[in-house]
Amino acid sequence: MKIPTEQTPKLVKVTNIGKDTKPETLRDFFTFCGKIQDFEVEADGEHQKALIMFESSKAAKTAELLSNALVEDSHIQVEPYFEIPALTDEKAAPSPERLITDGDDDEKTTPGHDQDKKTVSNIMAELLSSGYALGDQVLAKGIEFDHQYGVRDTVQHYYDQIRHNLQQWDEQYHVSEKANEVEQRIGLQEKQKEVSEKAHEWLQNTPTGQKVSGLITQFSQQISDLHNEAKRLVSVRQNEAQSKPSGAAA
């Protein structure tokens, strides 16, 4: 990858990638954040490292918020490539139009659509539903970003929509009764336990960790909402697959 001569917030570096993680696996993970313009992975001792150039700065910031997520067997670390001074809230905030998301449109819960139109929380719910273990500390940082830089009414609408959708699907497909089955299918229980155990010491013993620990308490209901939304999305896909006529194209 050719490094830009001018500093840009769209370029991030990713470290602590498992040595056996395939580039396409890593690319698929970060595609949830937004469109990727350029991508490079190389060996880094016993691990791998990567450079990712996104098409938007919001996609890059979303990727940074995913630092410490579990990708296969390693907790990846994500940070901006360039040390750019923080923008003021007014300049850093995405416009209201960029944060609008339609909670009813389940067909948009796969990579390839315009992720810049979604809240960070929305993207994290999609990652959870695809089997990635983010950990509550990662979710809390995403929720804080939405509250800090998002349009507050839009963010609240998203969580209200989650609860409305979950109630509807629970009544129609008994989502709550399938919760354990869904969690086992996407490996959430085992992965989340591993993430929580490895994050506990960091949360307790570092200033940053203590701040995030406070965010977990502050946003506990919304963190729970994201886990429930992930289960609902999996249930939606399962029921759609089961309703397809035999022999129908995938």
Side-chain angles (χ1 to χ4, degrees):
M1 179 188 295
K2 185 177 181 180
I3 304 299
T5 54
E6 295 185 3
Q7 293 186 347
T8 172
K10 300 178 183 179
L11 182 61
V12 302
K13 55 184 176 181
V14 187
T15 57
N16 204 48
I17 305 165
K19 64 179 180 179
D20 297 323
T21 298
K22 296 180 179 179
E24 52 266 30
T25 299
L26 192 69
R27 189 182 186 108
D28 287 345
F29 176 82
F30 283 107
T31 297
F32 279 92
C33 300
K35 292 181 180 179
I36 294 174
Q37 182 176 316
D38 205 355
F39 181 86
E40 178 181 271
V41 181
E42 62 180 40
D44 184 28
E46 297 183 353
H47 296 86
Q48 298 183 87
K49 60 182 179 180
L51 292 178
I52 305 175
M53 176 69 80
F54 289 96
E55 290 191 2
S56 75
S57 56
K58 179 178 181 292
K61 181 59 183 179
T62 301
E64 293 167 29
L65 293 169
L66 292 172
S67 189
N68 208 44
L70 185 66
V71 177
E72 294 193 332
D73 59 347
S74 295
H75 292 270
I76 60 171
Q77 301 300 314
V78 189
E79 57 185 314
Y81 183 85
F82 294 107
E83 293 297 331
I84 301 176
L87 297 175
T88 64
D89 285 0
E90 181 180 353
K91 292 182 179 179
S95 65
E97 292 80 7
R98 306 296 282 178
L99 280 174
I100 294 174
T101 178
D102 185 354
D104 289 324
D105 193 347
D106 293 303
E107 291 183 358
K108 292 186 179 180
T109 58
T110 56
H113 296 280
D114 190 357
Q115 298 296 85
D116 280 346
K117 292 182 179 178
K118 301 176 181 179
T119 62
V120 174
S121 299
N122 195 163
I123 292 170
M124 288 184 171
E126 293 175 4
L127 282 162
L128 286 173
S129 72
S130 295
Y132 293 103
L134 303 185
D136 287 353
Q137 74 277 16
V138 175
L139 300 181
K141 288 188 294 181
I143 294 169
E144 181 194 32
F145 178 85
D146 284 340
H147 278 275
Q148 185 174 359
Y149 296 116
V151 180
R152 192 169 298 274
D153 289 344
T154 302
V155 174
Q156 186 59 50
H157 172 74
Y158 173 64
Y159 287 99
D160 290 342
Q161 191 68 56
I162 285 179
R163 294 161 197 160
H164 174 72
N165 287 345
L166 184 65
Q167 181 179 0
Q168 285 191 323
W169 280 94
D170 191 27
E171 292 172 355
Q172 187 171 359
Y173 294 108
H174 305 289
V175 174
S176 297
E177 295 176 8
K178 297 181 179 180
N180 290 334
E181 174 188 339
V182 169
E183 287 182 341
Q184 291 172 4
R185 176 182 178 277
I186 61 180
L188 279 179
Q189 287 178 321
E190 182 176 346
K191 287 185 177 180
Q192 287 296 149
K193 181 180 179 181
E194 181 180 354
V195 172
S196 297
E197 289 176 349
K198 290 186 177 182
H200 180 73
E201 183 176 350
W202 175 76
L203 288 171
Q204 296 298 321
N205 299 326
T206 68
T208 302
Q210 290 167 5
K211 175 189 175 183
V212 174
S213 182
L215 291 176
I216 291 175
T217 301
Q218 180 181 351
F219 297 126
S220 59
Q221 177 58 57
Q222 291 173 334
I223 289 171
S224 177
D225 288 340
L226 292 186
H227 285 297
N228 286 332
E229 175 69 352
K231 297 173 189 177
R232 188 189 72 85
L233 291 176
V234 174
S235 181
V236 169
R237 295 168 190 157
Q238 286 179 328
N239 285 293
E240 286 180 346
Q242 292 171 3
S243 65
K244 285 184 179 179
S246 179

